[in-house]
Amino acid sequence: MDEGGRFGTTRVGAKCGRWNPTAEQVKVLTDLFRSGLRTPSTDQIQTISSHLSSFGKIESKNVFYWFQNHKARERHHKKRRRGGAGGGGGGGEDHLLLVPEKRGARTRSLPSNDDSRKREEEVMWEERQRGIETLELFPLKSYDLAAEKRRSMRNGCEEAGFLEAGMDPPLDLNLSFL
Amino acid sequence: MDEGGRFGTTRVGAKCGRWNPTAEQVKVLTDLFRSGLRTPSTDQIQTISSHLSSFGKIESKNVFYWFQNHKARERHHKKRRRGGAGGGGGGGEDHLLLVPEKRGARTRSLPSNDDSRKREEEVMWEERQRGIETLELFPLKSYDLAAEKRRSMRNGCEEAGFLEAGMDPPLDLNLSFL
DNA sequence: AATATATGAATGAAGG
DNA sequence: CCTTCATTCATATATT
């Protein structure tokens, strides 16, 4: 059937688990995207979400994920371009007035002139790596916890399946090693 | 499409190129986080990593990234509210025994061994470390430890009525609000 | 109904 | 720390 079922607040598959954008919401989001907006700031997300809430339930994270996904897929979507299905509804005519968001204007407003606060945390990690790499090989201490578990695979991608099957993990959360 | 994703214990199906934490690993990390640990030191990272290696392949950087991501996202989830995800599979009780670190024994500062290189960045970190030195006791807010794995997705509709913010959004499609 | 595709949601990894 | 990219999982929807 056509996607006509998802109009207004009467969406066919509108369950509670997952946000199902209405056609209007998608349209606005798409317009914003086509206008150049790719990574909205927190403030913009809030604003967009508030305005889009008039068309149905929506949260800020939905807007955040939408742009995140749309941007990521727009780039990797050049190969298998297929008809718009699912939420790709659309079809509508409306003009959009959007002011182009300047890149770099985030909520955090990182001052560009303040270079003194330029802490090199990357270096921090690099230094950490150096120390860890040389330490990770030899045993640190003795843990009774290590003897508790009998892991079957330490090498390879597939882990064991004794965890989530419904049984409790064989370990007791004794984290006193810290 | 292949849907053999997270079945059983871990997210089997993921490739080996990326760390795929097991349920136990996530549980331990979550417990540590709940205990107040936010920015583990190098020592703590390597210790945690060593212990967690019993449950599967893991590297120090995985622990480092996990805490970084978890902290950042936990903060965002304050506003973004997460949807139906994991469901707290297993989720039993978790008794955590954390030995408070000795005050003054800065985990980050390497002992007066022969550490000749001391960056300024570390000083910045030290002041932050002080925050977690005295965190073992005060109760953290309830963290959603239900995000470990998604196995029980048969959750009923939790809500459908409470929208955030007002119910009187302007109907104009003018997106000049940005 | 079964399969395929689109897309929402989550998170590991990395950059700055 | 904060922001962003890349992958992956999970599910709604379309198509056959």
Side-chain angles (χ1 to χ4, degrees):
Chain A
M1 89 182 168
D2 199 6
E3 60 186 30
R6 38 201 335 242
F7 276 123
T9 55
T10 316
R11 273 126 35 219
V12 284
K15 292 299 187 202
C16 51
R18 183 165 140 175
W19 170 62
N20 211 17
T22 66
E24 293 91 339
Q25 288 173 335
V26 173
K27 179 185 176 4
V28 173
L29 291 169
T30 303
D31 284 341
L32 288 169
F33 188 87
R34 297 181 67 177
S35 296
L37 186 62
R38 301 179 56 127
T39 57
S41 63
T42 305
D43 193 44
Q44 288 175 310
I45 287 175
Q46 278 290 341
T47 304
I48 296 169
S49 178
S50 293
H51 283 250
L52 258 48
S53 65
S54 52
F55 305 122
K57 187 168 75 95
I58 192 173
E59 296 175 59
S60 299
K61 71 166 192 175
N62 302 133
V63 177
F64 171 78
Y65 284 137
W66 192 93
F67 277 95
Q68 203 73 21
N69 286 319
H70 207 72
K71 174 170 56 175
R73 275 153 186 164
E74 182 79 349
R75 177 188 174 186
H76 206 273
H77 205 264
K78 299 301 194 287
K79 54 179 71 171
R80 41 205 253 192
R81 191 79 174 92
R82 184 95 178 190
E93 68 314 302
D94 207 325
H95 53 71
L96 175 75
L97 247 165
L98 170 76
V99 305
E101 168 69 13
K102 293 167 292 296
R103 176 81 170 174
R106 287 168 186 78
T107 318
R108 200 67 175 173
S109 66
L110 183 67
S112 340
N113 47 10
D114 190 351
D115 58 299
S116 59
R117 193 180 171 80
K118 183 187 176 189
R119 58 271 183 101
E120 304 289 336
E121 303 210 0
E122 351 174 356
V123 181
M124 179 279 300
W125 170 242
E126 313 243 316
E127 291 188 2
R128 275 192 177 184
Q129 275 292 79
R130 283 208 311 248
I132 289 174
E133 279 178 327
T134 52
L135 286 170
E136 206 157 34
L137 271 299
F138 59 80
L140 283 68
K141 300 166 191 168
S142 304
Y143 318 105
D144 45 350
L145 192 76
E148 163 66 48
K149 48 60 189 166
R150 41 264 168 148
R151 74 283 187 191
S152 44
M153 61 305 142
R154 279 291 304 275
N155 204 345
C157 185
E158 292 284 341
E159 263 92 352
F162 60 88
L163 318 177
E164 220 287 289
M167 41 196 297
D168 264 316
L171 60 98
D172 54 272
L173 268 292
N174 198 9
L175 303 174
S176 48
F177 49 80
L178 279 179
Chain B
M1 173 184 281
D2 178 40
E3 49 127 52
R6 313 154 159 228
F7 279 167
T9 152
T10 118
R11 291 89 160 150
V12 285
K15 291 189 171 58
C16 300
R18 183 163 141 177
W19 173 56
N20 207 28
T22 66
E24 287 92 337
Q25 288 173 336
V26 174
K27 177 162 175 42
V28 172
L29 291 169
T30 302
D31 284 341
L32 288 169
F33 190 86
R34 285 192 61 227
S35 297
L37 186 61
R38 297 165 61 184
T39 309
S41 64
T42 304
D43 286 338
Q44 290 172 314
I45 286 178
Q46 70 174 251
T47 303
I48 295 167
S49 179
S50 294
H51 281 256
L52 260 47
S53 65
S54 307
F55 309 117
K57 201 173 46 182
I58 192 174
E59 296 175 56
S60 297
K61 71 170 188 176
N62 302 133
V63 177
F64 173 78
Y65 284 136
W66 192 93
F67 275 95
Q68 287 291 117
N69 285 321
H70 208 71
K71 176 172 164 47
R73 275 155 187 162
E74 198 268 345
R75 173 179 174 262
H76 282 155
H77 278 216
K78 290 295 202 300
K79 186 67 188 109
R80 298 214 209 287
R81 274 295 215 143
R82 82 181 202 49
E93 82 314 321
D94 39 59
H95 66 293
L96 181 71
L97 266 170
L98 252 177
V99 177
E101 255 176 88
K102 285 153 296 282
R103 213 166 285 237
R106 192 99 70 251
T107 54
R108 189 104 210 312
S109 308
L110 292 175
S112 54
N113 203 349
D114 48 77
D115 182 73
S116 53
R117 298 192 58 180
K118 189 84 171 182
R119 296 264 181 192
E120 300 301 320
E121 299 83 37
E122 297 192 354
V123 181
M124 186 279 302
W125 276 87
E126 284 185 78
E127 54 179 304
R128 183 156 49 220
Q129 279 295 127
R130 281 201 311 222
I132 72 173
E133 276 181 71
T134 57
L135 47 66
E136 272 76 29
L137 267 302
F138 62 78
L140 271 287
K141 61 160 262 319
S142 301
Y143 168 73
D144 295 331
L145 69 152
E148 303 180 354
K149 48 190 174 45
R150 328 96 229 293
R151 180 144 190 276
S152 56
M153 58 288 205
R154 289 298 303 172
N155 295 336
C157 298
E158 48 180 279
E159 46 65 49
F162 68 92
L163 285 178
E164 59 169 326
M167 303 281 290
D168 53 351
L171 258 297
D172 62 276
L173 263 294
N174 269 9
L175 302 176
S176 46
F177 48 78
L178 284 178

mmCIF file of all heavy atoms in Angstrom, chain A residues 1-14 20-23, chain D residues 13-14:
data_model
loop_
_atom_site.group_PDB
_atom_site.id
_atom_site.type_symbol
_atom_site.label_atom_id
_atom_site.label_comp_id
_atom_site.label_asym_id
_atom_site.label_seq_id
_atom_site.Cartn_x
_atom_site.Cartn_y
_atom_site.Cartn_z
ATOM 1 N N MET A 1 0.833 -1.188 0.000
ATOM 2 C CA MET A 1 0.000 0.000 0.000
ATOM 3 C C MET A 1 0.863 1.230 0.000
ATOM 4 O O MET A 1 2.021 1.210 0.365
ATOM 5 C CB MET A 1 -0.911 -0.013 1.222
ATOM 6 C CG MET A 1 -0.288 0.642 2.423
ATOM 7 S SD MET A 1 -1.330 0.568 3.821
ATOM 8 C CE MET A 1 -0.272 1.053 5.111
ATOM 9 N N ASP A 2 0.223 2.247 -0.338
ATOM 10 C CA ASP A 2 0.990 3.473 -0.366
ATOM 11 C C ASP A 2 1.327 3.889 1.057
ATOM 12 O O ASP A 2 0.810 3.372 2.026
ATOM 13 C CB ASP A 2 0.182 4.562 -1.077
ATOM 14 C CG ASP A 2 1.078 5.675 -1.539
ATOM 15 O OD1 ASP A 2 2.295 5.508 -1.386
ATOM 16 O OD2 ASP A 2 0.568 6.667 -2.035
ATOM 17 N N GLU A 3 2.152 4.829 1.122
ATOM 18 C CA GLU A 3 2.569 5.262 2.438
ATOM 19 C C GLU A 3 1.585 6.253 3.026
ATOM 20 O O GLU A 3 1.872 6.923 3.992
ATOM 21 C CB GLU A 3 3.924 5.923 2.344
ATOM 22 C CG GLU A 3 3.856 7.116 1.433
ATOM 23 C CD GLU A 3 5.220 7.683 1.210
ATOM 24 O OE1 GLU A 3 6.180 6.919 1.247
ATOM 25 O OE2 GLU A 3 5.307 8.874 1.019
ATOM 26 N N GLY A 4 0.483 6.330 2.411
ATOM 27 C CA GLY A 4 -0.481 7.311 2.883
ATOM 28 C C GLY A 4 -0.907 7.072 4.316
ATOM 29 O O GLY A 4 -1.535 7.909 4.932
ATOM 30 N N GLY A 5 -0.581 5.946 4.797
ATOM 31 C CA GLY A 5 -1.011 5.645 6.145
ATOM 32 C C GLY A 5 -0.292 6.461 7.198
ATOM 33 O O GLY A 5 -0.729 6.554 8.332
ATOM 34 N N ARG A 6 0.760 7.051 6.839
ATOM 35 C CA ARG A 6 1.527 7.768 7.841
ATOM 36 C C ARG A 6 1.325 9.254 7.702
ATOM 37 O O ARG A 6 2.188 9.968 7.281
ATOM 38 C CB ARG A 6 2.994 7.432 7.674
ATOM 39 C CG ARG A 6 3.354 7.309 6.258
ATOM 40 C CD ARG A 6 4.597 6.500 6.095
ATOM 41 N NE ARG A 6 5.392 6.557 7.273
ATOM 42 C CZ ARG A 6 6.598 7.073 7.246
ATOM 43 N NH1 ARG A 6 7.055 7.576 6.163
ATOM 44 N NH2 ARG A 6 7.315 7.059 8.304
ATOM 45 N N PHE A 7 0.193 9.653 8.034
ATOM 46 C CA PHE A 7 -0.090 11.080 7.969
ATOM 47 C C PHE A 7 -0.560 11.543 9.320
ATOM 48 O O PHE A 7 -1.336 10.872 9.987
ATOM 49 C CB PHE A 7 -1.154 11.371 6.920
ATOM 50 C CG PHE A 7 -0.559 11.492 5.552
ATOM 51 C CD1 PHE A 7 -0.981 10.690 4.512
ATOM 52 C CD2 PHE A 7 0.450 12.400 5.325
ATOM 53 C CE1 PHE A 7 -0.421 10.811 3.262
ATOM 54 C CE2 PHE A 7 1.020 12.522 4.065
ATOM 55 C CZ PHE A 7 0.577 11.720 3.039
ATOM 56 N N GLY A 8 -0.102 12.667 9.670
ATOM 57 C CA GLY A 8 -0.508 13.207 10.954
ATOM 58 C C GLY A 8 -0.112 12.278 12.084
ATOM 59 O O GLY A 8 0.998 11.766 12.114
ATOM 60 N N THR A 9 -1.009 12.086 12.939
ATOM 61 C CA THR A 9 -0.700 11.234 14.078
ATOM 62 C C THR A 9 -1.240 9.826 13.876
ATOM 63 O O THR A 9 -1.203 9.004 14.761
ATOM 64 C CB THR A 9 -1.320 11.825 15.344
ATOM 65 O OG1 THR A 9 -2.712 11.998 15.120
ATOM 66 C CG2 THR A 9 -0.682 13.124 15.700
ATOM 67 N N THR A 10 -1.747 9.577 12.705
ATOM 68 C CA THR A 10 -2.322 8.269 12.455
ATOM 69 C C THR A 10 -1.398 7.470 11.565
ATOM 70 O O THR A 10 -1.657 7.245 10.397
ATOM 71 C CB THR A 10 -3.698 8.411 11.794
ATOM 72 O OG1 THR A 10 -4.410 9.427 12.459
ATOM 73 C CG2 THR A 10 -4.463 7.110 11.865
ATOM 74 N N ARG A 11 -0.341 7.067 12.127
ATOM 75 C CA ARG A 11 0.574 6.243 11.363
ATOM 76 C C ARG A 11 0.263 4.786 11.620
ATOM 77 O O ARG A 11 0.018 4.383 12.742
ATOM 78 C CB ARG A 11 2.015 6.546 11.751
ATOM 79 C CG ARG A 11 2.562 7.673 10.960
ATOM 80 C CD ARG A 11 3.121 8.770 11.842
ATOM 81 N NE ARG A 11 3.748 8.308 13.031
ATOM 82 C CZ ARG A 11 3.604 8.955 14.168
ATOM 83 N NH1 ARG A 11 2.841 10.015 14.235
ATOM 84 N NH2 ARG A 11 4.220 8.545 15.223
ATOM 85 N N VAL A 12 0.327 4.050 10.577
ATOM 86 C CA VAL A 12 -0.066 2.650 10.689
ATOM 87 C C VAL A 12 0.851 1.888 11.619
ATOM 88 O O VAL A 12 0.432 1.167 12.497
ATOM 89 C CB VAL A 12 -0.069 1.990 9.298
ATOM 90 C CG1 VAL A 12 -1.302 2.437 8.540
ATOM 91 C CG2 VAL A 12 1.188 2.315 8.538
ATOM 92 N N GLY A 13 2.087 2.043 11.381
ATOM 93 C CA GLY A 13 3.020 1.249 12.177
ATOM 94 C C GLY A 13 3.610 2.024 13.332
ATOM 95 O O GLY A 13 4.690 1.729 13.794
ATOM 96 N N ALA A 14 2.902 2.984 13.759
ATOM 97 C CA ALA A 14 3.455 3.832 14.814
ATOM 98 C C ALA A 14 3.400 3.115 16.151
ATOM 99 O O ALA A 14 2.484 3.284 16.927
ATOM 100 C CB ALA A 14 2.689 5.146 14.876
ATOM 101 N N ASN A 20 8.520 7.096 14.473
ATOM 102 C CA ASN A 20 8.104 6.979 13.093
ATOM 103 C C ASN A 20 7.729 8.369 12.610
ATOM 104 O O ASN A 20 6.666 8.875 12.927
ATOM 105 C CB ASN A 20 6.906 6.040 12.995
ATOM 106 C CG ASN A 20 6.899 5.310 11.685
ATOM 107 O OD1 ASN A 20 7.907 5.253 10.994
ATOM 108 N ND2 ASN A 20 5.768 4.762 11.331
ATOM 109 N N PRO A 21 8.590 8.955 11.859
ATOM 110 C CA PRO A 21 8.353 10.349 11.473
ATOM 111 C C PRO A 21 7.156 10.484 10.543
ATOM 112 O O PRO A 21 6.930 9.637 9.682
ATOM 113 C CB PRO A 21 9.650 10.738 10.771
ATOM 114 C CG PRO A 21 10.230 9.463 10.282
ATOM 115 C CD PRO A 21 9.841 8.430 11.287
ATOM 116 N N THR A 22 6.447 11.526 10.694
ATOM 117 C CA THR A 22 5.345 11.804 9.789
ATOM 118 C C THR A 22 5.900 12.406 8.506
ATOM 119 O O THR A 22 7.066 12.793 8.426
ATOM 120 C CB THR A 22 4.363 12.792 10.431
ATOM 121 O OG1 THR A 22 5.020 14.039 10.598
ATOM 122 C CG2 THR A 22 3.892 12.284 11.783
ATOM 123 N N ALA A 23 5.024 12.459 7.530
ATOM 124 C CA ALA A 23 5.455 13.001 6.244
ATOM 125 C C ALA A 23 5.889 14.451 6.391
ATOM 126 O O ALA A 23 6.871 14.884 5.769
ATOM 127 C CB ALA A 23 4.318 12.885 5.232
ATOM 128 P P DT D 13 5.343 1.333 9.580
ATOM 129 O OP1 DT D 13 4.836 2.711 9.705
ATOM 130 O OP2 DT D 13 4.525 0.187 10.026
ATOM 131 O "O5'" DT D 13 5.755 1.091 8.065
ATOM 132 C "C5'" DT D 13 6.764 1.912 7.481
ATOM 133 C "C4'" DT D 13 7.171 1.352 6.131
ATOM 134 O "O4'" DT D 13 7.944 0.144 6.291
ATOM 135 C "C3'" DT D 13 5.994 1.003 5.213
ATOM 136 O "O3'" DT D 13 6.155 1.680 3.976
ATOM 137 C "C2'" DT D 13 6.122 -0.509 5.030
ATOM 138 C "C1'" DT D 13 7.599 -0.723 5.250
ATOM 139 N N1 DT D 13 7.980 -2.103 5.650
ATOM 140 C C2 DT D 13 8.904 -2.776 4.886
ATOM 141 O O2 DT D 13 9.422 -2.302 3.896
ATOM 142 N N3 DT D 13 9.199 -4.043 5.336
ATOM 143 C C4 DT D 13 8.683 -4.679 6.453
ATOM 144 O O4 DT D 13 9.037 -5.811 6.750
ATOM 145 C C5 DT D 13 7.723 -3.908 7.204
ATOM 146 C C7 DT D 13 7.089 -4.501 8.425
ATOM 147 C C6 DT D 13 7.420 -2.677 6.783
ATOM 148 P P DA D 14 4.956 1.620 2.889
ATOM 149 O OP1 DA D 14 4.503 2.967 2.677
ATOM 150 O OP2 DA D 14 3.999 0.561 3.236
ATOM 151 O "O5'" DA D 14 5.782 1.137 1.605
ATOM 152 C "C5'" DA D 14 7.071 0.582 1.806
ATOM 153 C "C4'" DA D 14 7.701 0.212 0.501
ATOM 154 O "O4'" DA D 14 8.342 -1.067 0.675
ATOM 155 C "C3'" DA D 14 6.748 0.013 -0.664
ATOM 156 O "O3'" DA D 14 7.450 0.219 -1.889
ATOM 157 C "C2'" DA D 14 6.309 -1.430 -0.498
ATOM 158 C "C1'" DA D 14 7.545 -2.087 0.115
ATOM 159 N N9 DA D 14 7.223 -3.030 1.192
ATOM 160 C C8 DA D 14 6.283 -2.901 2.165
ATOM 161 N N7 DA D 14 6.222 -3.910 3.011
ATOM 162 C C5 DA D 14 7.227 -4.767 2.557
ATOM 163 C C6 DA D 14 7.689 -6.026 3.006
ATOM 164 N N6 DA D 14 7.191 -6.655 4.069
ATOM 165 N N1 DA D 14 8.690 -6.604 2.324
ATOM 166 C C2 DA D 14 9.206 -5.965 1.260
ATOM 167 N N3 DA D 14 8.854 -4.783 0.737
ATOM 168 C C4 DA D 14 7.843 -4.236 1.445
#
